[in-house]
């Protein structure tokens, strides 16, 4: 019986706080704080996970751009190396052809010198009363004509090779000039495209920062309709032409050549609305 009484007193002590006024509200507030704390921890965990995934995606994108840039650089270096090797090979062949031409010219000069030397010796022998037989003159002339024909054929062949090599080198130089022009034009197009994107971003908002960019599509189509429809272009030009005035007109101004960009906010309230 004493044990039962002790157990009842202990149970009464445990139940006593439950009978106190405000205990349930305090317990509810404590449970609500615990629940909110768990939600905060879960939200922070999710935000950290999302930030980590976003950072990983940005890192992967940076790596992809770096790889693309590296591949482009390697390709440009390989192309320049091939061009140098081709030009060096062409220059080497051209140098060899010029050497052959020089050798041929030297042989022609030697042959002319031999003809002159034989003529002088023949005249000296004639003054002494010694005359070679006609067959010797015929044999010499035959050999000379044969050598002249051979040297002439070689000269024409080497000249044709030189012309072909020069045409090839000029073609390579022309291709190089075209590539340089195309590269400059590409850079100019990229620059103009970047400027257009910046202007569109100022006018219509940044599509990367504004997730509801598709809602602006009707406005884009309205303002860009002249680029896709001749009738719309004529109508817009007609409306604009009604307001054409000279540059010095006191009551108007000329039509601007491009987009009229918005000015910067002049106060904090305006700045918050722009953001």
């Amino acid at each position: 019986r004493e044990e039962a009484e002790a157990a009842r007193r202990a149970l009464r002590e445990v139940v006593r706080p439950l009978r106190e006024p405000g205990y349930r509200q305090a317990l509810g507030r404590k449970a609500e704080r615990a629940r909110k704390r768990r939600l905060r921890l879960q939200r922070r965990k999710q935000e950290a996970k999302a930030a980590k995934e976003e950072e990983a995606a940005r890192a992967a994108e940076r790596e992809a751009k770096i790889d693309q840039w590296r591949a482009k650089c390697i390709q440009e270096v390989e192309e320049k190396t091939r061009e140098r090797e081709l030009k060096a090979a062409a220059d080497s062949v051209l140098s060899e052809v010029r050497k052959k031409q020089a050798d041929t010219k030297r042989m022609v000069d030697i042959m002319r010198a031999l003809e002159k030397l034989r003529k002088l010796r023949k005249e000296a022998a004639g003054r002494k009363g010694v005359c070679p037989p006609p067959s010797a003159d015929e044999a010499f002339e035959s050999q000379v004509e044969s050598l002249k024909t051979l040297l002439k054929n070689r000269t024409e062949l080497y000249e044709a090779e030189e012309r072909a090599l020069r045409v090839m080198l000029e073609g390579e130089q022309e291709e190089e000039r075209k590539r340089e022009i195309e590269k400059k034009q590409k850079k100019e197009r990229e620059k103009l495209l970047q400027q257009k994107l910046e202007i569109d971003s100022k006018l219509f908002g940044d599509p990367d920062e504004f997730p509801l960019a598709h809602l602006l599509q009707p406005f884009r189509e309205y303002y860009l309709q002249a680029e896709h429809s001749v009738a719309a272009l004529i109508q817009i030009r007609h409306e604009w032409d009604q307001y054409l005035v000279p540059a010095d007109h006191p009551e108007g101004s000329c039509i601007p050549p491009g987009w009229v960009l918005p000015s910067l906010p002049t106060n904090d309230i305006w700045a918050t609305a722009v953001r």
Side-chain angles (χ1 to χ4, degrees):
R1 185 173 181 180
E2 292 179 358
E3 294 178 358
E5 186 65 24
R8 187 173 62 180
R9 286 195 300 271
L11 183 60
R12 188 180 296 111
E13 289 296 326
V14 172
V15 176
R16 184 173 55 81
L18 298 176
R19 297 177 179 177
E20 294 179 358
Y23 180 77
R24 290 183 179 181
Q25 290 78 2
L27 186 62
R29 289 193 296 268
K30 184 176 180 181
E32 183 65 19
R33 286 195 298 270
R35 186 182 67 83
K36 290 181 178 180
R37 183 172 178 275
R38 287 195 302 270
L39 290 177
R40 284 196 302 270
L41 292 176
Q42 291 178 359
R43 186 169 58 253
R44 290 176 183 175
K45 186 176 181 181
Q46 292 175 355
E47 291 176 353
K49 183 179 179 182
K52 186 176 180 180
E53 292 177 353
E54 185 178 357
E55 179 62 26
R58 286 198 296 266
E61 184 178 358
R62 288 195 299 269
E63 289 293 331
K65 290 182 178 179
I66 292 173
D67 293 339
Q68 184 179 3
W69 173 80
R70 186 184 296 113
K72 183 180 179 181
C73 292
I74 293 174
Q75 183 179 0
E76 291 178 354
V77 171
E78 290 178 350
E79 289 179 355
K80 291 182 179 179
T81 302
R82 285 195 298 269
E83 291 173 2
R84 286 196 300 268
E85 291 176 351
L86 181 60
K87 188 176 184 301
D91 290 341
S92 177
V93 176
L94 183 60
S95 176
E96 186 67 23
V97 170
R98 288 176 177 173
K99 181 182 178 184
K100 291 179 181 179
Q101 289 176 336
D103 293 340
T104 303
K105 186 177 182 299
R106 187 168 57 253
M107 292 175 66
V108 172
D109 294 338
I110 292 173
M111 187 178 64
R112 290 174 180 172
L114 287 174
E115 287 181 323
K116 186 176 181 181
L117 178 60
R118 187 177 187 281
K119 181 179 179 180
L120 293 174
R121 287 184 176 181
K122 184 178 179 181
E123 291 175 353
R127 286 193 295 269
K128 292 179 181 180
V130 178
C131 295
S135 59
D137 292 338
E138 293 177 359
F140 181 77
E141 292 294 336
S142 177
Q143 289 293 331
V144 169
E145 289 297 328
S146 177
L147 288 174
K148 284 183 178 180
T149 302
L150 177 62
L151 293 176
K152 181 182 178 181
N153 293 335
R154 288 189 176 181
T155 301
E156 293 177 353
L157 176 62
Y158 297 152
E159 288 177 353
E161 290 181 358
E162 183 181 6
R163 286 195 298 271
L165 288 172
R166 287 187 179 278
V167 169
M168 184 178 70
L169 290 175
E170 290 176 358
E172 287 296 325
Q173 292 175 356
E174 183 66 23
E175 289 294 330
E176 178 64 22
R177 286 194 293 270
K178 287 182 179 179
R179 282 192 290 269
E180 290 295 330
I181 292 174
E182 290 177 356
K183 189 181 296 184
K184 290 181 181 179
Q185 291 177 348
K186 182 179 179 182
K187 288 183 179 179
E188 187 66 22
R189 287 194 300 269
E190 291 177 352
K191 182 179 178 181
L192 293 176
L193 178 60
Q194 183 63 30
Q195 292 177 353
K196 183 178 182 301
L197 292 176
E198 291 177 358
I199 292 175
D200 289 346
S201 176
K202 292 179 180 179
L203 291 172
F204 305 112
D206 190 350
D208 295 332
E209 298 179 359
F210 189 59
L212 301 179
H214 63 281
L215 296 177
L216 296 177
Q217 187 62 28
F219 301 96
R220 292 176 183 269
E221 293 178 354
Y222 174 76
Y223 286 109
L224 301 178
Q225 59 180 327
E227 297 183 3
H228 308 286
S229 173
V230 177
L233 174 61
I234 295 174
Q235 178 64 25
I236 293 172
R237 281 301 304 268
H238 175 69
E239 294 175 358
W240 277 80
D241 290 346
Q242 294 177 356
Y243 302 96
L244 285 176
V245 293
D248 56 350
H249 197 280
E251 297 181 359
S253 60
C254 294
I255 297 176
W259 288 105
V260 179
L261 298 179
S263 58
L264 296 176
T266 56
N267 54 56
D268 297 336
I269 299 176
W270 185 7
T272 56
V274 172
R275 293 194 190 95

